[in-house]
Amino acid sequence: DAKTTQPPSMDCAEGRAANLPCNHSTISGNEYVYWYRQIHSQGPQYIIHGLKNNETNEMASLIITEDRKSSTLILPHATLRDTAVYYCIVRVGGGTSYGKLTFGQGTILTVHP
Amino acid sequence: GAVVSQHPSRVICKSGTSVKIECRSLDFQATTMFWYRQFPKKSLMLMATSNEGSKATYEQGVEKDKFLINHASLTLSTLTVTSAHPEDSSFYICSARHAPSEQYFGPGTRLTVL
């Protein structure tokens, strides 16, 4: 699976949009971009995933660049409960490594009042 | 959404004993479950892939005789840490694959070996 690069930490004011970047310049055509987050001492929580089109759900939006070498997770109105480690993961949609998620160091997002 | 539970949430044991951790998918069937380990302030590391009815596939460097995995049903996988030692103290997290492309995680089990 392609390696991802994320900033180690980011801050965001409560109520503002949080934009978390992720670089995945070696992504292959059959690899998806996944975002998970982990609140302290809990299991990771699925947020969103996409292949090449932008995606939106009740939690967040995922913007993938046209060349697919980077993406941005957008939390439109961050709250204090969004403080967590956010992981950007790239993995194939099928094949022998199907399902395996390789976690990097992620971005520690701190939302402050 | 799909729910995955783990039991126990926290366990303390003496060195040399074995500890079993259960992972259950509560509202869906999971042919594949995964076990991760997370040390303090570190990221999750995949230990093994558990497939219902077959032997688990272990990641490089993970001792299969020390970390026994059983996936006897479509809703239950167990991880047994045998002859636990203090260096096995960690946060163990399971996940279950739901539908073609989604994976849901359990809340984790914190193991402390004295």
Side-chain angles (χ1 to χ4, degrees):
Chain A
D1 293 340
K3 184 177 178 180
T4 62
T5 304
Q6 298 177 251
S9 64
M10 292 184 65
D11 288 337
C12 178
E14 188 177 20
R16 304 297 293 269
N19 298 285
L20 291 87
C22 179
N23 286 323
H24 31 79
S25 59
T26 60
I27 192 170
S28 299
N30 63 345
E31 290 182 313
Y32 289 72
V33 180
Y34 281 76
W35 283 85
Y36 285 80
R37 72 180 181 183
Q38 185 178 25
I39 296 171
H40 183 62
S41 294
Q42 297 182 22
Q45 176 188 22
Y46 167 82
I47 301 174
I48 199 168
H49 76 280
L51 182 61
K52 52 185 177 181
N53 296 322
N54 297 337
E55 303 288 343
T56 296
N57 62 21
E58 65 277 6
M59 289 184 67
S61 294
L62 173 60
I63 308 299
I64 303 174
T65 58
E66 193 168 339
D67 62 7
R68 302 207 325 123
K69 293 184 177 182
S70 65
S71 61
T72 301
L73 177 74
I74 301 173
L75 307 179
H77 305 287
T79 70
L80 298 179
R81 287 177 292 182
D82 291 322
T83 293
V85 181
Y86 287 76
Y87 295 100
C88 169
I89 301 169
V90 173
R91 72 163 178 85
V92 297
T96 57
S97 64
Y98 178 52
K100 291 175 62 172
L101 295 174
T102 301
F103 286 81
Q105 295 306 306
T107 295
I108 300 172
L109 174 67
T110 303
V111 181
H112 51 85
Chain B
V3 179
V4 176
S5 70
Q6 282 185 241
H7 178 79
S9 59
R10 186 181 297 267
V11 58
I12 302 173
C13 70
K14 293 182 179 180
S15 184
T17 61
S18 294
V19 175
K20 180 185 285 188
I21 302 170
E22 293 183 348
C23 176
R24 294 182 185 272
S25 55
L26 297 185
D27 50 2
F28 66 100
Q29 294 182 332
T31 56
T32 303
M33 291 184 174
F34 303 88
W35 287 96
Y36 295 81
R37 180 168 52 181
Q38 186 175 32
F39 292 107
K41 297 188 178 182
K42 299 293 185 181
S43 190
L44 284 79
M45 295 295 294
L46 178 66
M47 299 175 66
T49 302
S50 169
N51 293 298
E52 187 267 337
S54 64
K55 291 183 178 181
T57 303
Y58 291 81
E59 295 299 301
Q60 191 172 10
V62 178
E63 300 175 60
K64 62 180 180 180
D65 294 330
K66 181 170 184 60
F67 299 99
L68 302 179
I69 292 173
N70 183 277
H71 193 160
S73 79
L74 289 172
T75 59
L76 173 64
S77 175
T78 60
L79 168 69
T80 301
V81 183
T82 62
S83 186
H85 291 283
E87 56 267 29
D88 298 322
S89 297
S90 188
F91 193 47
Y92 291 87
I93 306 169
C94 73
S95 69
R97 199 178 80 200
H98 177 249
S101 56
E102 295 176 14
Q103 194 173 135
Y104 292 91
F105 287 79
T109 296
R110 187 161 302 283
L111 170 64
T112 302
V113 185
L114 302 177

